[in-house]
Amino acid sequence: MERMKPHISVIVAVYNHFEWLRLVLDALRRQTYFDFEVIIADDGSNQETVRSIREYQAAHPEFSLIHLHHADEGWRKNICLNNAVREARGDYLVFIDGDCIPHPQFLEDHFMMSKKGQAASGRRVDMSKAVSDMVESWTTLPPDYFRKARKEVVRNILRTPLTATLSQLRRFIHYPYFGPNTIGLKSGGMLGCNMGMFKSDLEKINGFDERYLAPGVGEDTDLELRLRNAGIKCVKSSRYALMLHRCHPRLPMDSPDNRRLLEEAREKKTTWVARGLKR
């Protein structure tokens, strides 16, 4: 039987760490918005992770979950994201990372912020190690997982600098939706682990630039730059589309090739890239 076409395709970028991906998928199954599919864009995870994903698929046949995997040949996130975009059946695309657990209203918020000619980005709670370790210890995601994480932030207030605690807590504030004039939506600041846009708008710039072969500088900044150059508005909100982010060491940010590509895009006001969705 042919599957119904969803409105939203959620694309989850993954490399190993199934213990977190499982929680992300559990959170997606508990969303208040239901018209979506999930595509795992797997940048070469090991066979243990692949097996765990397949077992999760088998355990939840009611959940529209597609797993796209390619060989581990180094950092090729943009390539596997484009592969997922080609597979996506939804009109609207939401991109998240496999270590970011979305709020129950995450997709409802992205649906609310969706508009043709506009890309929207939410924000994330960068958890302390103590809170992150607690979340990672969950074998299943509690129904009130956001409240539990917030409570743990407060409980660890003596072990965490006050500025860091306050920074975490303010990311838990979710605004109610009062109408078409969304409160707290402003220009700028796209976040690659939490962004949404119409597929037709992404196709105008030929998707992600596959010449980026290292993490850090440029991988999502380049996308925002080219969207703006193509006349697509980029907005962000710190009060909608919230998520919990796993505590881990920062990736290196010093790729000279990435910097060169980004500067080239700025100087030439690039929109379309040759190595993208269409090659």
Side-chain angles (χ1 to χ4, degrees):
M1 186 174 70
E2 186 177 353
R3 294 177 298 166
M4 295 288 290
K5 182 179 182 294
H7 177 62
I8 293 178
S9 292
V10 183
I11 296 175
V12 187
V14 168
Y15 180 69
N16 294 322
H17 294 290
F18 180 76
E19 68 278 6
W20 268 85
L21 176 60
R22 173 176 49 80
L23 298 174
V24 172
L25 296 175
D26 284 350
L28 288 171
R29 289 172 47 236
R30 293 184 179 172
Q31 292 294 295
T32 56
Y33 179 90
F34 306 108
D35 189 12
F36 69 96
E37 66 177 358
V38 177
I39 303 173
I40 297 174
D42 188 340
D43 191 15
S45 291
N46 58 38
Q47 285 305 304
E48 181 181 352
T49 301
V50 170
R51 182 173 62 253
S52 296
I53 293 171
R54 302 286 162 78
E55 288 173 354
Y56 192 97
Q57 285 177 302
H60 302 284
E62 79 291 349
F63 188 45
S64 181
L65 179 60
I66 299 164
H67 180 211
L68 300 181
H69 176 272
H70 63 200
D72 188 353
E73 297 178 3
W75 193 93
R76 297 192 296 155
K77 179 181 178 181
N78 282 8
I79 294 173
C80 67
L81 287 176
N82 277 340
N83 290 339
V85 171
R86 294 186 196 98
E87 182 77 15
R89 296 177 300 128
D91 297 320
Y92 195 77
L93 308 175
V94 173
F95 297 92
I96 67 175
D97 283 351
D99 62 355
C100 294
I101 303 173
H103 186 280
Q105 291 176 254
F106 178 79
L107 290 181
E108 184 179 345
D109 289 346
H110 266 291
F111 176 75
M112 172 190 68
M113 295 188 293
S114 65
K115 184 194 302 185
K116 286 197 174 179
Q118 174 176 288
S121 185
R123 282 297 177 266
R124 66 191 186 188
V125 180
D126 286 317
M127 293 181 290
S128 67
K129 188 175 188 308
V131 180
S132 186
D133 287 348
M134 182 207 71
V135 173
E136 191 167 329
S137 72
W138 293 336
T139 54
T140 57
L141 194 70
D144 55 347
Y145 58 96
F146 241 77
R147 184 187 64 81
K148 283 183 179 295
R150 183 175 63 242
K151 184 178 179 181
E152 188 70 5
V153 170
V154 174
R155 197 176 73 82
N156 283 279
I157 198 165
L158 296 179
R159 287 192 281 168
T160 309
L162 182 59
T163 53
T165 300
L166 293 176
S167 177
Q168 290 178 65
L169 286 175
R170 69 186 181 90
R171 294 293 192 197
F172 281 96
I173 301 172
H174 183 274
Y175 281 172
Y177 179 47
F178 292 112
N181 297 318
T182 307
I183 297 173
L185 206 58
K186 56 187 178 181
S187 177
M190 297 293 288
L191 198 61
C193 68
N194 184 348
M195 62 183 181
M197 66 201 71
F198 274 91
K199 187 175 183 179
S200 56
D201 285 337
L202 185 61
E203 288 171 341
K204 289 177 182 176
I205 62 169
N206 204 25
F208 293 85
D209 189 340
E210 297 185 358
R211 295 176 298 168
Y212 283 87
L213 296 173
V217 173
E219 55 175 288
D220 47 10
T221 310
D222 165 83
L223 192 78
E224 178 182 350
L225 176 65
R226 291 187 293 112
L227 286 168
R228 290 183 183 278
N229 289 344
I232 296 164
K233 185 179 180 182
C234 295
V235 299
K236 67 176 182 179
S237 174
S238 297
R239 299 293 175 257
Y240 296 104
L242 308 179
M243 51 175 37
L244 303 173
H245 182 220
R246 172 176 172 257
C247 180
H248 61 78
R250 290 180 63 85
L251 295 172
M253 304 283 283
D254 57 354
S255 167
D257 289 337
N258 282 23
R259 292 186 183 279
R260 176 183 54 79
L261 290 170
L262 186 59
E263 287 305 314
E264 179 185 286
R266 283 186 178 132
E267 290 172 8
K268 296 183 178 180
K269 300 188 183 302
T270 303
T271 55
W272 184 273
V273 288
R275 289 182 57 184
L277 285 172
K278 295 181 179 178
R279 299 166 181 163

